[in-house]
Amino acid sequence: MFLRGNRSERQTVAGALGDGGIKAMTSTVMNAMVLKSVENRLERLFERGFSRSFKSGLQPIEIGTRILREIDLTRRLSTQGPLSANVVRVWLGPVDAERFEGFQKALVTELEETVRQHALSEGYAFVGPVTVEIFIDDDIKVGQVEVKTEFEGGDAQPRILLSDGRTFAVGDEPLVIGRSPEVAVVINDSNVSRRHAEVWRTVEGIAIRDLDSTNGTFVNGHRISAVSLSPRDDVTIATVHLRIELA
């Protein structure tokens, strides 16, 4: 369920979606794909219900576009590279908010993933975990959306994302990957060793180590023994690809 937000707490931003306020972003083809994936995933998830609810009016992809535009406008530079805001607050009018009834949680989840994917494609880092909150404001008209982004520090929960759709949080203990049913991340493939590799947290972030597997662990196409990982790295174990997410 969306919360009702106080208009006095809202940051006014230029333009409204319904009035053609979205300017062309300096986006890449990857950014367009990130936005489109929001729409595609929601369509697959809700099928006919999605089509009925979002046939007209404010679209999820329009909210995503506005968020990414605000992310780009408010990015900061640091000694470690560009930083992205990690807290996003969105205000919708009551009519548009009602159209998302029943889809709120899924919409927020997809918008958070959109922020992460955009940061990955642009090389942005975060200062804390990514969160998206959506509020209702009676003063906002149909088709309009307002966005405020903030940088809020905090301990992010790193995780690994597998190409088969599974995700695993990386805690204090190493996360072992292998074919054995006793490991944390099971890959049922004869080319995967019983204890193939492990992922663990370091002072700098996340690292992966091969556990003397038969067929090896590859990072960006290179066989490794142990290496630190960034969100841009592609890890391959047999036919499964995985990447890390830091926020």
Side-chain angles (χ1 to χ4, degrees):
M1 182 176 180
F2 298 150
L3 302 175
R4 288 198 170 269
N6 189 322
R7 186 179 179 86
S8 65
E9 297 174 352
R10 190 175 72 237
Q11 172 180 306
T12 302
V13 291
L17 293 176
D19 299 325
I22 298 180
K23 303 287 192 295
M25 293 176 16
T26 57
S27 59
T28 61
V29 173
M30 178 63 76
N31 292 338
M33 293 172 62
V34 167
L35 287 167
K36 189 62 179 176
S37 70
V38 178
E39 193 171 48
N40 291 340
R41 286 196 297 266
L42 285 171
E43 283 177 343
R44 288 195 299 271
L45 185 58
F46 302 119
E47 295 177 344
R48 295 178 183 176
F50 181 95
S51 299
R52 287 196 303 269
S53 295
F54 304 117
K55 187 175 182 180
S56 61
L58 186 65
Q59 302 293 312
I61 195 170
E62 293 177 293
I63 301 175
T65 300
R66 186 52 176 273
I67 288 174
L68 299 196
R69 176 174 179 264
E70 208 63 26
I71 290 280
D72 287 337
L73 289 173
T74 59
R75 69 185 184 276
R76 299 175 181 174
L77 293 178
S78 73
T79 56
Q80 296 179 334
L83 296 176
S84 167
N86 60 304
V87 175
V88 179
R89 296 184 175 93
V90 178
W91 284 266
L92 306 176
V95 174
D96 284 319
E98 184 178 359
R99 292 173 55 250
F100 290 100
E101 185 68 32
F103 304 103
Q104 298 101 322
K105 184 177 180 180
L107 177 63
V108 167
T109 298
E110 293 302 335
L111 291 174
E112 288 175 344
E113 184 63 18
T114 298
V115 173
R116 296 187 187 100
Q117 289 293 328
H118 181 66
L120 179 64
S121 68
E122 294 296 318
Y124 299 159
F126 296 107
V127 296
V130 173
T131 60
V132 172
E133 298 175 297
I134 301 181
F135 300 89
I136 303 170
D137 191 314
D138 293 333
D139 294 331
I140 295 181
K141 298 179 181 179
V142 176
Q144 294 183 334
V145 61
E146 295 191 13
V147 176
K148 179 180 179 181
T149 60
E150 294 182 3
F151 295 77
E152 292 187 6
D155 293 328
Q157 176 64 70
R159 58 179 183 162
I160 61 171
L161 290 76
L162 275 65
S163 54
D164 60 13
R166 293 180 292 162
T167 63
F168 298 87
V170 183
D172 295 331
E173 297 297 322
L175 203 63
V176 178
I177 305 168
R179 195 177 74 253
S180 170
E182 298 177 356
V183 303
V185 183
V186 178
I187 300 177
N188 190 17
D189 187 318
S190 60
N191 291 314
V192 176
S193 298
R194 290 180 61 80
R195 291 174 60 85
H196 195 104
E198 65 179 6
V199 176
W200 80 100
R201 299 177 73 161
T202 69
V203 176
E204 293 79 16
I206 299 294
I208 188 168
R209 175 189 295 118
D210 185 81
L211 299 177
D212 296 324
S213 66
T214 302
N215 294 311
T217 301
F218 296 82
V219 176
N220 302 325
H222 301 285
R223 188 165 183 166
I224 59 93
S225 55
V227 67
S228 296
L229 295 175
S230 78
R232 288 181 173 272
D233 291 326
D234 175 60
V235 179
T236 306
I237 296 176
T239 60
V240 173
H241 292 261
L242 66 89
R243 65 178 178 84
I244 66 164
E245 196 169 81
L246 299 177

PDB file of all heavy atoms in Angstrom, residues 93-115:
ATOM      1  N   GLY A  93      -0.587  11.126  -7.976  1.00  0.00           N
ATOM      2  CA  GLY A  93      -1.928  11.564  -7.635  1.00  0.00           C
ATOM      3  C   GLY A  93      -2.786  10.375  -7.231  1.00  0.00           C
ATOM      4  O   GLY A  93      -2.474   9.224  -7.545  1.00  0.00           O
ATOM      5  N   PRO A  94      -3.903  10.606  -6.548  1.00  0.00           N
ATOM      6  CA  PRO A  94      -4.740   9.501  -6.065  1.00  0.00           C
ATOM      7  C   PRO A  94      -5.325   8.641  -7.171  1.00  0.00           C
ATOM      8  O   PRO A  94      -5.481   7.435  -6.994  1.00  0.00           O
ATOM      9  CB  PRO A  94      -5.837  10.210  -5.261  1.00  0.00           C
ATOM     10  CG  PRO A  94      -5.805  11.634  -5.702  1.00  0.00           C
ATOM     11  CD  PRO A  94      -4.397  11.924  -6.096  1.00  0.00           C
ATOM     12  N   VAL A  95      -5.630   9.223  -8.326  1.00  0.00           N
ATOM     13  CA  VAL A  95      -6.212   8.442  -9.418  1.00  0.00           C
ATOM     14  C   VAL A  95      -5.204   7.446  -9.965  1.00  0.00           C
ATOM     15  O   VAL A  95      -5.504   6.261 -10.143  1.00  0.00           O
ATOM     16  CB  VAL A  95      -6.721   9.363 -10.544  1.00  0.00           C
ATOM     17  CG1 VAL A  95      -7.193   8.538 -11.745  1.00  0.00           C
ATOM     18  CG2 VAL A  95      -7.859  10.252 -10.040  1.00  0.00           C
ATOM     19  N   ASP A  96      -3.976   7.902 -10.220  1.00  0.00           N
ATOM     20  CA  ASP A  96      -2.936   6.996 -10.725  1.00  0.00           C
ATOM     21  C   ASP A  96      -2.570   5.965  -9.673  1.00  0.00           C
ATOM     22  O   ASP A  96      -2.332   4.793  -9.988  1.00  0.00           O
ATOM     23  CB  ASP A  96      -1.696   7.786 -11.143  1.00  0.00           C
ATOM     24  CG  ASP A  96      -1.887   8.503 -12.467  1.00  0.00           C
ATOM     25  OD1 ASP A  96      -2.474   7.908 -13.385  1.00  0.00           O
ATOM     26  OD2 ASP A  96      -1.457   9.663 -12.568  1.00  0.00           O
ATOM     27  N   ALA A  97      -2.514   6.392  -8.402  1.00  0.00           N
ATOM     28  CA  ALA A  97      -2.174   5.451  -7.332  1.00  0.00           C
ATOM     29  C   ALA A  97      -3.198   4.333  -7.245  1.00  0.00           C
ATOM     30  O   ALA A  97      -2.851   3.162  -7.030  1.00  0.00           O
ATOM     31  CB  ALA A  97      -2.074   6.184  -5.999  1.00  0.00           C
ATOM     32  N   GLU A  98      -4.458   4.663  -7.443  1.00  0.00           N
ATOM     33  CA  GLU A  98      -5.514   3.654  -7.383  1.00  0.00           C
ATOM     34  C   GLU A  98      -5.368   2.624  -8.496  1.00  0.00           C
ATOM     35  O   GLU A  98      -5.681   1.444  -8.312  1.00  0.00           O
ATOM     36  CB  GLU A  98      -6.880   4.328  -7.469  1.00  0.00           C
ATOM     37  CG  GLU A  98      -8.053   3.366  -7.309  1.00  0.00           C
ATOM     38  CD  GLU A  98      -9.397   4.065  -7.346  1.00  0.00           C
ATOM     39  OE1 GLU A  98      -9.414   5.318  -7.489  1.00  0.00           O
ATOM     40  OE2 GLU A  98     -10.419   3.382  -7.252  1.00  0.00           O
ATOM     41  N   ARG A  99      -4.888   3.051  -9.635  1.00  0.00           N
ATOM     42  CA  ARG A  99      -4.708   2.133 -10.763  1.00  0.00           C
ATOM     43  C   ARG A  99      -3.639   1.084 -10.470  1.00  0.00           C
ATOM     44  O   ARG A  99      -3.617   0.023 -11.087  1.00  0.00           O
ATOM     45  CB  ARG A  99      -4.347   2.907 -12.035  1.00  0.00           C
ATOM     46  CG  ARG A  99      -5.479   3.761 -12.563  1.00  0.00           C
ATOM     47  CD  ARG A  99      -5.028   4.644 -13.718  1.00  0.00           C
ATOM     48  NE  ARG A  99      -4.424   3.859 -14.778  1.00  0.00           N
ATOM     49  CZ  ARG A  99      -3.131   3.884 -15.079  1.00  0.00           C
ATOM     50  NH1 ARG A  99      -2.311   4.653 -14.394  1.00  0.00           N
ATOM     51  NH2 ARG A  99      -2.661   3.164 -16.073  1.00  0.00           N
ATOM     52  N   PHE A 100      -2.736   1.380  -9.537  1.00  0.00           N
ATOM     53  CA  PHE A 100      -1.684   0.435  -9.185  1.00  0.00           C
ATOM     54  C   PHE A 100      -2.091  -0.456  -8.005  1.00  0.00           C
ATOM     55  O   PHE A 100      -1.258  -1.188  -7.483  1.00  0.00           O
ATOM     56  CB  PHE A 100      -0.388   1.174  -8.847  1.00  0.00           C
ATOM     57  CG  PHE A 100       0.265   1.819 -10.035  1.00  0.00           C
ATOM     58  CD1 PHE A 100       0.123   3.179 -10.280  1.00  0.00           C
ATOM     59  CD2 PHE A 100       1.013   1.065 -10.918  1.00  0.00           C
ATOM     60  CE1 PHE A 100       0.718   3.773 -11.382  1.00  0.00           C
ATOM     61  CE2 PHE A 100       1.615   1.643 -12.020  1.00  0.00           C
ATOM     62  CZ  PHE A 100       1.470   3.000 -12.254  1.00  0.00           C
ATOM     63  N   GLU A 101      -3.336  -0.374  -7.594  1.00  0.00           N
ATOM     64  CA  GLU A 101      -3.813  -1.194  -6.484  1.00  0.00           C
ATOM     65  C   GLU A 101      -3.573  -2.672  -6.773  1.00  0.00           C
ATOM     66  O   GLU A 101      -3.946  -3.196  -7.816  1.00  0.00           O
ATOM     67  CB  GLU A 101      -5.321  -0.956  -6.263  1.00  0.00           C
ATOM     68  CG  GLU A 101      -5.894  -1.661  -5.052  1.00  0.00           C
ATOM     69  CD  GLU A 101      -5.370  -1.096  -3.742  1.00  0.00           C
ATOM     70  OE1 GLU A 101      -5.086   0.119  -3.691  1.00  0.00           O
ATOM     71  OE2 GLU A 101      -5.235  -1.883  -2.790  1.00  0.00           O
ATOM     72  N   GLY A 102      -2.928  -3.342  -5.833  1.00  0.00           N
ATOM     73  CA  GLY A 102      -2.613  -4.755  -5.997  1.00  0.00           C
ATOM     74  C   GLY A 102      -1.252  -5.008  -6.624  1.00  0.00           C
ATOM     75  O   GLY A 102      -0.750  -6.134  -6.592  1.00  0.00           O
ATOM     76  N   PHE A 103      -0.658  -3.955  -7.203  1.00  0.00           N
ATOM     77  CA  PHE A 103       0.640  -4.096  -7.868  1.00  0.00           C
ATOM     78  C   PHE A 103       1.746  -3.327  -7.144  1.00  0.00           C
ATOM     79  O   PHE A 103       2.868  -3.268  -7.627  1.00  0.00           O
ATOM     80  CB  PHE A 103       0.574  -3.576  -9.308  1.00  0.00           C
ATOM     81  CG  PHE A 103      -0.486  -4.225 -10.152  1.00  0.00           C
ATOM     82  CD1 PHE A 103      -1.667  -3.563 -10.422  1.00  0.00           C
ATOM     83  CD2 PHE A 103      -0.302  -5.491 -10.660  1.00  0.00           C
ATOM     84  CE1 PHE A 103      -2.639  -4.156 -11.199  1.00  0.00           C
ATOM     85  CE2 PHE A 103      -1.272  -6.097 -11.437  1.00  0.00           C
ATOM     86  CZ  PHE A 103      -2.451  -5.434 -11.706  1.00  0.00           C
ATOM     87  N   GLN A 104       1.408  -2.736  -5.987  1.00  0.00           N
ATOM     88  CA  GLN A 104       2.344  -1.802  -5.362  1.00  0.00           C
ATOM     89  C   GLN A 104       3.693  -2.440  -5.036  1.00  0.00           C
ATOM     90  O   GLN A 104       4.749  -1.887  -5.380  1.00  0.00           O
ATOM     91  CB  GLN A 104       1.746  -1.208  -4.077  1.00  0.00           C
ATOM     92  CG  GLN A 104       0.475  -0.397  -4.301  1.00  0.00           C
ATOM     93  CD  GLN A 104      -0.754  -1.209  -3.941  1.00  0.00           C
ATOM     94  OE1 GLN A 104      -0.803  -2.411  -4.190  1.00  0.00           O
ATOM     95  NE2 GLN A 104      -1.750  -0.555  -3.373  1.00  0.00           N
ATOM     96  N   LYS A 105       3.675  -3.563  -4.370  1.00  0.00           N
ATOM     97  CA  LYS A 105       4.925  -4.191  -3.941  1.00  0.00           C
ATOM     98  C   LYS A 105       5.781  -4.580  -5.134  1.00  0.00           C
ATOM     99  O   LYS A 105       7.004  -4.342  -5.151  1.00  0.00           O
ATOM    100  CB  LYS A 105       4.623  -5.418  -3.081  1.00  0.00           C
ATOM    101  CG  LYS A 105       5.869  -6.073  -2.511  1.00  0.00           C
ATOM    102  CD  LYS A 105       5.520  -7.244  -1.599  1.00  0.00           C
ATOM    103  CE  LYS A 105       6.781  -7.892  -1.037  1.00  0.00           C
ATOM    104  NZ  LYS A 105       6.444  -9.040  -0.142  1.00  0.00           N
ATOM    105  N   ALA A 106       5.148  -5.176  -6.150  1.00  0.00           N
ATOM    106  CA  ALA A 106       5.897  -5.577  -7.343  1.00  0.00           C
ATOM    107  C   ALA A 106       6.454  -4.364  -8.074  1.00  0.00           C
ATOM    108  O   ALA A 106       7.582  -4.396  -8.579  1.00  0.00           O
ATOM    109  CB  ALA A 106       5.004  -6.386  -8.274  1.00  0.00           C
ATOM    110  N   LEU A 107       5.677  -3.281  -8.120  1.00  0.00           N
ATOM    111  CA  LEU A 107       6.145  -2.069  -8.796  1.00  0.00           C
ATOM    112  C   LEU A 107       7.370  -1.499  -8.093  1.00  0.00           C
ATOM    113  O   LEU A 107       8.364  -1.149  -8.742  1.00  0.00           O
ATOM    114  CB  LEU A 107       5.027  -1.028  -8.830  1.00  0.00           C
ATOM    115  CG  LEU A 107       5.403   0.323  -9.443  1.00  0.00           C
ATOM    116  CD1 LEU A 107       5.795   0.176 -10.913  1.00  0.00           C
ATOM    117  CD2 LEU A 107       4.242   1.317  -9.298  1.00  0.00           C
ATOM    118  N   VAL A 108       7.325  -1.416  -6.767  1.00  0.00           N
ATOM    119  CA  VAL A 108       8.462  -0.892  -6.010  1.00  0.00           C
ATOM    120  C   VAL A 108       9.696  -1.768  -6.228  1.00  0.00           C
ATOM    121  O   VAL A 108      10.810  -1.261  -6.443  1.00  0.00           O
ATOM    122  CB  VAL A 108       8.107  -0.803  -4.513  1.00  0.00           C
ATOM    123  CG1 VAL A 108       9.365  -0.570  -3.672  1.00  0.00           C
ATOM    124  CG2 VAL A 108       7.102   0.317  -4.265  1.00  0.00           C
ATOM    125  N   THR A 109       9.516  -3.086  -6.187  1.00  0.00           N
ATOM    126  CA  THR A 109      10.634  -4.005  -6.398  1.00  0.00           C
ATOM    127  C   THR A 109      11.270  -3.798  -7.762  1.00  0.00           C
ATOM    128  O   THR A 109      12.499  -3.756  -7.899  1.00  0.00           O
ATOM    129  CB  THR A 109      10.150  -5.466  -6.278  1.00  0.00           C
ATOM    130  OG1 THR A 109       9.658  -5.681  -4.956  1.00  0.00           O
ATOM    131  CG2 THR A 109      11.294  -6.449  -6.555  1.00  0.00           C
ATOM    132  N   GLU A 110      10.430  -3.652  -8.800  1.00  0.00           N
ATOM    133  CA  GLU A 110      10.961  -3.468 -10.147  1.00  0.00           C
ATOM    134  C   GLU A 110      11.645  -2.113 -10.303  1.00  0.00           C
ATOM    135  O   GLU A 110      12.657  -1.999 -10.989  1.00  0.00           O
ATOM    136  CB  GLU A 110       9.835  -3.615 -11.183  1.00  0.00           C
ATOM    137  CG  GLU A 110       9.265  -5.011 -11.286  1.00  0.00           C
ATOM    138  CD  GLU A 110      10.307  -6.060 -11.634  1.00  0.00           C
ATOM    139  OE1 GLU A 110      11.338  -5.711 -12.244  1.00  0.00           O
ATOM    140  OE2 GLU A 110      10.100  -7.223 -11.278  1.00  0.00           O
ATOM    141  N   LEU A 111      11.114  -1.081  -9.665  1.00  0.00           N
ATOM    142  CA  LEU A 111      11.746   0.236  -9.750  1.00  0.00           C
ATOM    143  C   LEU A 111      13.088   0.247  -9.021  1.00  0.00           C
ATOM    144  O   LEU A 111      14.043   0.881  -9.477  1.00  0.00           O
ATOM    145  CB  LEU A 111      10.818   1.311  -9.183  1.00  0.00           C
ATOM    146  CG  LEU A 111       9.558   1.592 -10.018  1.00  0.00           C
ATOM    147  CD1 LEU A 111       8.652   2.572  -9.289  1.00  0.00           C
ATOM    148  CD2 LEU A 111       9.913   2.124 -11.402  1.00  0.00           C
ATOM    149  N   GLU A 112      13.186  -0.465  -7.908  1.00  0.00           N
ATOM    150  CA  GLU A 112      14.481  -0.581  -7.218  1.00  0.00           C
ATOM    151  C   GLU A 112      15.495  -1.296  -8.094  1.00  0.00           C
ATOM    152  O   GLU A 112      16.666  -0.892  -8.166  1.00  0.00           O
ATOM    153  CB  GLU A 112      14.295  -1.322  -5.895  1.00  0.00           C
ATOM    154  CG  GLU A 112      13.568  -0.505  -4.833  1.00  0.00           C
ATOM    155  CD  GLU A 112      13.288  -1.276  -3.565  1.00  0.00           C
ATOM    156  OE1 GLU A 112      13.378  -2.526  -3.588  1.00  0.00           O
ATOM    157  OE2 GLU A 112      12.957  -0.632  -2.541  1.00  0.00           O
ATOM    158  N   GLU A 113      15.057  -2.337  -8.777  1.00  0.00           N
ATOM    159  CA  GLU A 113      15.960  -3.054  -9.679  1.00  0.00           C
ATOM    160  C   GLU A 113      16.360  -2.170 -10.855  1.00  0.00           C
ATOM    161  O   GLU A 113      17.492  -2.239 -11.338  1.00  0.00           O
ATOM    162  CB  GLU A 113      15.298  -4.337 -10.179  1.00  0.00           C
ATOM    163  CG  GLU A 113      16.192  -5.209 -11.054  1.00  0.00           C
ATOM    164  CD  GLU A 113      17.427  -5.731 -10.333  1.00  0.00           C
ATOM    165  OE1 GLU A 113      17.464  -5.723  -9.082  1.00  0.00           O
ATOM    166  OE2 GLU A 113      18.386  -6.136 -11.029  1.00  0.00           O
ATOM    167  N   THR A 114      15.447  -1.319 -11.305  1.00  0.00           N
ATOM    168  CA  THR A 114      15.764  -0.382 -12.384  1.00  0.00           C
ATOM    169  C   THR A 114      16.883   0.568 -11.974  1.00  0.00           C
ATOM    170  O   THR A 114      17.803   0.842 -12.752  1.00  0.00           O
ATOM    171  CB  THR A 114      14.512   0.424 -12.772  1.00  0.00           C
ATOM    172  OG1 THR A 114      13.505  -0.469 -13.247  1.00  0.00           O
ATOM    173  CG2 THR A 114      14.824   1.442 -13.866  1.00  0.00           C
ATOM    174  N   VAL A 115      16.814   1.076 -10.734  1.00  0.00           N
ATOM    175  CA  VAL A 115      17.864   1.967 -10.226  1.00  0.00           C
ATOM    176  C   VAL A 115      19.202   1.229 -10.190  1.00  0.00           C
ATOM    177  O   VAL A 115      20.241   1.775 -10.596  1.00  0.00           O
ATOM    178  CB  VAL A 115      17.491   2.495  -8.829  1.00  0.00           C
ATOM    179  CG1 VAL A 115      18.652   3.284  -8.226  1.00  0.00           C
ATOM    180  CG2 VAL A 115      16.247   3.373  -8.903  1.00  0.00           C
TER     181      VAL A 115
END
